[in-house]
Amino acid sequence: MWLKVVVFLAAAWPGADLLYQTFWGDLGVNPVETLLLTSGETALVVLLCSLAVTPVRRMTGWNRIQSVRRMLGLWAFFYAFCHLSFYVLFDQACLYWSDCQLMAIVDDVVKRKFILSGMVAFLAMVPLALTSTKGAIRRLGRKWQTLHRLAYVAGLAGAIHFIWKTKVPETKPYLYAGILIGLMLVRVYFAWQKRSARTGAA
């Protein structure tokens, strides 16, 4: 129980702080850029945390940590949704439905590769969020695990989105990409180990 509370508060803190800075603090000289950067980076970080749960469990034997994976995934989707919403509302000036120019948004997504990669990341997370309930897990059975490998697609697209978005080379986007690659390699290793064990038993 305590683990879920700690993880919930840790995941909620960036959003609460951003909300405070928006209404009572200071978002800097470019508030829209701050909203976009903070929400997008938080989504990627929380998603990486959710992907790290299973490797940590397998390497440490701490099975209880598995209980927070779904929560982290939903928080990652929440921040990704906020990131997309900020882009549509402020970057595309779509504060009112009458002001929205959907074709202009589509054109922007197609023409700018970093936005396209971000959209791929978000769309990959949508089915994960929709199938995060216990009922969906029961209905999908083994297919649920296969479907939720899209989390790695979302993570990879999100990392690429962050790298391409950063005009001046920075360490942080590449660090996130390196962490993701490391998590993927750990997953491949355990899958290979499991397959080898089955082959040996046969």
Side-chain angles (χ1 to χ4, degrees):
M1 180 65 181
W2 66 267
L3 179 61
K4 288 186 176 181
V5 173
V6 170
V7 171
F8 181 90
L9 293 176
W13 172 254
D17 182 63
L18 191 61
L19 184 66
Y20 173 82
Q21 295 300 331
T22 300
F23 291 100
W24 300 284
D26 182 16
L27 291 176
V29 295
N30 192 337
V32 174
E33 184 68 17
T34 301
L35 290 171
L36 286 168
L37 180 60
T38 303
S39 58
E41 185 176 357
T42 304
L44 181 58
V45 169
V46 178
L47 179 61
L48 290 176
C49 289
S50 71
L51 291 175
V53 167
T54 299
V56 169
R57 177 181 63 83
R58 289 178 175 175
M59 289 188 292
T60 64
W62 186 26
N63 294 327
R64 186 176 295 180
I65 195 175
Q66 197 74 9
S67 64
V68 301
R69 186 177 65 174
R70 181 171 59 174
M71 180 195 300
L72 287 170
L74 289 173
W75 271 111
F77 178 76
F78 168 75
Y79 285 114
F81 179 79
C82 290
H83 183 65
L84 177 62
S85 298
F86 293 147
Y87 163 73
V88 173
L89 292 175
F90 302 125
D91 191 78
Q92 293 297 311
C94 195
L95 293 173
Y96 301 98
W97 181 253
S98 58
D99 297 331
C100 291
Q101 298 182 15
L102 297 181
M103 290 308 300
I105 296 176
V106 172
D107 186 60
D108 194 41
V109 170
V110 172
K111 286 185 175 181
R112 295 204 281 179
K113 61 181 183 180
F114 84 90
I115 296 181
L116 178 61
S117 60
M119 190 63 68
V120 170
F122 178 77
L123 292 177
M125 296 177 71
V126 171
L128 306 184
L130 294 177
T131 58
S132 63
T133 62
K134 293 181 179 179
I137 295 174
R138 286 196 302 269
R139 288 193 299 271
L140 290 172
R142 292 184 177 180
K143 294 180 180 179
W144 185 86
Q145 290 184 341
T146 302
L147 176 65
H148 276 246
R149 289 174 184 170
L150 282 173
Y152 285 93
V153 176
L156 183 60
I160 293 173
H161 170 68
F162 196 9
I163 291 172
W164 284 347
K165 170 65 176 68
T166 308
K167 297 178 180 179
V168 179
E170 294 181 8
T171 304
K172 194 181 294 185
Y174 293 97
L175 175 62
Y176 293 147
I179 292 173
L180 176 64
I181 292 172
L183 292 173
M184 293 174 69
L185 290 175
V186 170
R187 184 181 183 91
V188 169
Y189 169 75
F190 280 112
W192 172 82
Q193 192 178 51
K194 186 176 181 180
R195 181 173 296 180
S196 298
R198 287 179 178 176
T199 303

